[in-house]
């Protein structure tokens, strides 16, 4: 029995979907534990190419139970559409279950996400517009609607009425927007409840039973450590914790049972949305990375901001998330670079800083200090063994490993499942 978590080490989109699809081979359960449909996880395997937003990336193995845990915010329409899309591609979703405790994204959450962003003007966070901030705010404010509520129309009616009254007051009086009709929202969401009911379970019990039976559980992170509301570049963050602490809570699992924590990092850095990014490259190199890697958001299609690997941020992410091992993805994207760089420190007003700053203004002032090394200038997408990687690529990986502070267990050299170089086995 072993519990392994796969966690993003940067600002999201590190390639967690690919790594989970690969590692799910030996898992009995794959559990999403945080975020919502702000996540976009790309999986390319023998069944096809998929962009998953809510369904765990273990869905492609019929013997894997794909669990959407209590910590995930559910937009029912998005989930039902995703299930329908998978079915059309011949993927059986009979192995999908959804926590009765998960919170529901309501229409006012999506509306308020957009209105709040507009009101922020030039300080907009650049959210995905999926209602994530408002739904998690309501969860903590005890104003949430949960999956279980949708299954009992009478109690749902009583729960929704005062909440919708408050939200309509907010929509009309603060934002001068149109109110939502109680009947429309109620009817639509009761119907969603009917359609989702076959999937609903007390998932924490299923996970516990699986562990009792000695099965392997894989926890699938969403977003990345630097988007964590406590430790990320606040307020330019998301609204649920992508860290290992969030995994224990969002799956309902005893944290002491989590054995391996694999931090996923790209061989460079990307960020989508606003907020400081010290290694951002606003030049030809940044454009080259974006175009070579087609760095456009899986969820929103927005161009991702690109830059060199930031090991100050990366080692911080590693420590707060307790990574036991590291997966490096998209190494192949650097094939075309005559020189490759790793940011090993920041400089602020002539002073060297080696810690990820707390204050946003300080982070915005950080100028990267780089270690520079020769690139390998040859294609590595077909390499499957570490020894076959060019010497310069191995040197770059050794420098990354040193800078992050944990062993690299695998390297991804292409988007497909098999385009992977395994370096160490997890025991
Ligand atoms: P996630 O949100 O962490 O699952 O990552 P995304 O799916 O949003 O973005 C990662 C992108 O990189 C996707 O388009 C993947 O297909 C792609 N990808 C993953 N690993 C590799 C790799 O090693 N090489 C290349 N070229 N693409 C990769
Ligand atoms: P995956 O799981 C990259 C970013 C948004 C925005 C900020 C807040 O695919 O790695 P939100 O909609 O969550 O309120 O937006 O967080 N963001 C992500 N960036 N990958 C993601 O998920 C993200 N989920 C949220 O772009 O900057
Ligand atoms: Mg993504």
């Amino acid at each position: 029995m072993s519990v392994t978590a796969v966690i993003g080490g940067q600002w999201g989109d590190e390639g967690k979907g690919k790594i989970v699809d690969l590692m799910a081979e030996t898992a009995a359960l794959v559990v999403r534990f945080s975020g919502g449909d702000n996540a976009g996880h790309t999986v390319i395997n023998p069944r096809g190419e998929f962009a998953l937003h809510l369904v765990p990336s273990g869905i492609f193995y019929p013997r894997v139970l794909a669990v959407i845990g209590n910590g995930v915010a559910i937009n029912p329409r998005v989930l039902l559409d995703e299930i329908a899309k998978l079915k059309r591609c011949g993927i059986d979703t009979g192995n999908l279950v959804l926590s009765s405790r998960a919170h529901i994204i309501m229409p006012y959450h999506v509306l308020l996400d957009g209105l709040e962003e507009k009101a922020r003007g030039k300080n907009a966070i650049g959210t995905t517009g999926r209602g994530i901030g408002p739904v998690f705010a309501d969860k903590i404010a005890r104003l949430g609607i949960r999956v279980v509520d949708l299954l009992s129309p009478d109690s749902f009616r009583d729960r929704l009425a005062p909440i919708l009254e408050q939200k309509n007051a907010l929509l009309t009086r603060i934002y001068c927007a149109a109110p939502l009709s109680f009947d429309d929202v109620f009817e639509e969401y009761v119907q969603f409840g009917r359609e989702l009911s076959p999937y609903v379970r007390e998932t924490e019990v299923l996970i516990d039973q699986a562990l009792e039976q000695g099965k392997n559980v894989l926890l699938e992170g969403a977003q990345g450590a630097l988007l964590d509301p406590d430790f990320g570049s606040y307020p330019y963050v998301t609204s649920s914790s992508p860290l290992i602490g969030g995994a224990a809570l969002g799956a309902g699992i005893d944290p002491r049972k989590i054995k391996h924590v694999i931090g996923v990092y790209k061989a460079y850095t990307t960020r989508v949305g606003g907020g400081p990014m010290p290694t951002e490259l606003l030049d030809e190199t940044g454009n080259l990375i974006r175009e070579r890697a087609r760095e456009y958001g899986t969820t929103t299609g927005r161009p991702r901001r690109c830059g060199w690997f930031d090991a100050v941020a990366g080692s911080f992410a590693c420590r707060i998330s307790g990574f036991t091992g590291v997966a490096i993805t998209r190494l192949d994207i650097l094939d075309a670079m005559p020189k490759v760089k790793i940011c090993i420190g920041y400089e602020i007003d002539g002073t060297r800083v080696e810690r990820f700053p707390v204050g946003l203004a300080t982070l915005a002032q950080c100028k990267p200090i780089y270690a520079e090394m020769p690139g390998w200038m040859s294609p590595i997408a077909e390499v499957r063994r570490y020894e076959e990687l060019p010497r310069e690529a191995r040197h770059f990986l050794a420098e990354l490993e040193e800078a992050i502070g944990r062993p690299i267990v695998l390297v991804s050299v292409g988007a497909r499942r098999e385009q992977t170089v395994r370096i160490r086995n997890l025991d």
Side-chain angles (χ1 to χ4, degrees):
M1 181 272 282
S2 169
V3 182
T4 302
V6 173
I7 307 273
Q10 296 163 314
W11 275 285
D13 299 328
E14 298 88 350
K16 299 173 293 293
K18 156 159 184 178
I19 302 299
V20 170
D21 172 64
L22 177 77
M23 293 179 68
E25 198 181 353
T26 53
L29 271 72
V30 174
V31 187
R32 268 285 304 270
F33 60 80
S34 67
D37 61 304
N38 50 349
H41 295 182
T42 313
V43 172
I44 306 177
N45 62 25
R47 309 296 301 276
E49 177 166 350
F50 305 89
L52 299 171
H53 300 286
L54 285 166
V55 173
S57 303
I59 193 73
F60 306 100
Y61 299 88
R63 44 155 200 81
V64 166
L65 190 66
V67 181
I68 304 179
N70 54 282
V72 182
I74 307 298
N75 182 323
R77 186 190 297 283
V78 172
L79 178 55
L80 289 164
D81 284 353
E82 198 163 311
I83 292 170
K85 212 166 165 186
L86 284 166
K87 283 184 176 159
R88 282 199 299 277
C89 296
I91 309 299
D92 180 19
T93 54
N95 55 337
L96 178 71
V97 292
L98 165 65
S99 169
S100 44
R101 296 176 190 272
H103 278 249
I104 297 289
I105 297 180
M106 302 294 291
Y108 45 81
H109 291 134
V110 178
L111 287 173
L112 288 167
D113 193 357
L115 292 165
E116 287 168 6
E117 275 287 83
K118 206 166 156 211
R120 285 184 195 110
K122 68 175 178 35
N123 296 322
I125 287 162
T127 73
T128 58
R130 303 303 171 104
I132 298 298
V135 72
F136 284 110
D138 274 358
K139 173 176 176 175
I140 302 307
R142 296 162 293 197
L143 285 171
I145 306 280
R146 299 189 298 167
V147 167
V148 66
D149 298 319
L150 303 186
L151 305 184
S152 313
D154 288 340
S155 54
F156 176 45
R157 185 191 305 276
D158 293 344
R159 176 109 190 112
L160 180 64
I163 294 175
L164 191 61
E165 201 176 306
Q166 196 220 60
K167 297 299 175 189
N168 273 340
L170 197 57
L171 286 170
T172 55
R173 294 195 213 151
I174 303 287
Y175 292 108
C176 304
L180 290 162
S181 143
F182 176 87
D183 289 341
D184 289 354
V185 174
F186 178 73
E187 294 301 332
E188 186 179 30
Y189 277 68
V190 167
Q191 179 56 27
F192 285 149
R194 274 189 217 114
E195 290 177 52
L196 288 175
S197 63
Y199 298 99
V200 179
R201 296 280 188 290
E202 288 177 40
T203 51
E204 65 282 6
V205 176
L206 297 179
I207 298 170
D208 195 46
Q209 285 168 349
L211 292 176
E212 287 291 315
Q213 292 162 10
K215 295 181 174 168
N216 288 338
V217 174
L218 191 58
L219 303 173
E220 175 176 356
Q223 290 78 55
L226 304 173
L227 289 170
D228 180 71
D230 280 81
F231 292 101
S233 45
Y234 191 86
Y236 292 91
V237 295
T238 190
S239 299
S240 65
S241 176
L243 305 178
I244 194 63
L249 203 57
I253 196 168
D254 176 350
R256 293 167 302 179
K257 293 195 173 140
I258 303 171
K259 186 170 181 195
H260 304 289
V261 186
I262 305 303
V264 186
Y265 296 83
K266 278 179 192 169
Y268 50 93
T269 307
T270 62
R271 177 164 201 180
V272 59
M277 175 182 159
T279 62
E280 181 170 14
L281 292 168
L282 298 165
D283 60 7
E284 271 318 298
T285 310
N287 291 340
L288 179 64
I289 294 176
R290 186 176 309 104
E291 293 317 315
R292 253 185 85 72
R294 294 195 304 277
E295 288 288 4
Y296 294 88
T298 312
T299 300
T300 58
R302 290 179 291 177
R304 294 175 182 150
R305 300 155 65 192
C306 299
W308 294 114
F309 190 92
D310 183 341
V312 179
S315 64
F316 173 64
C318 177
R319 284 193 299 275
I320 52 168
S321 234
F323 295 158
T324 57
V326 167
I328 300 292
T329 64
R330 306 204 104 176
L331 188 63
D332 54 300
I333 298 301
L334 302 186
D335 287 355
M337 305 291 171
K339 284 187 184 129
V340 286
K341 297 187 190 183
I342 299 174
C343 166
I344 49 166
Y346 300 145
E347 192 202 289
I348 305 174
D349 291 336
T351 306
R352 189 171 171 133
V353 175
E354 279 173 11
R355 275 214 211 134
F356 192 70
V358 182
L360 197 72
T362 316
L363 184 62
Q365 282 171 26
C366 289
K367 302 269 170 293
I369 301 169
Y370 287 117
E372 191 177 297
M373 53 216 92
W376 43 97
M377 299 294 280
S378 62
I380 59 168
E382 300 314 317
V383 172
R384 298 292 175 268
R385 290 179 51 238
Y386 177 73
E387 300 72 35
E388 290 164 9
L389 285 169
R391 187 168 45 85
E392 294 83 357
R394 280 183 279 138
H395 178 223
F396 179 69
L397 289 172
E399 293 291 321
L400 279 186
E401 188 170 83
E402 170 79 20
I404 298 170
R406 289 290 186 281
I408 296 175
V409 294
L410 61 85
V411 177
S412 174
V413 293
R416 286 181 286 117
R417 192 189 274 172
E418 68 278 10
Q419 290 183 294
T420 306
V421 177
R422 291 176 198 262
I423 299 186
R424 290 179 181 84
N425 285 329
L426 302 181
D427 53 358

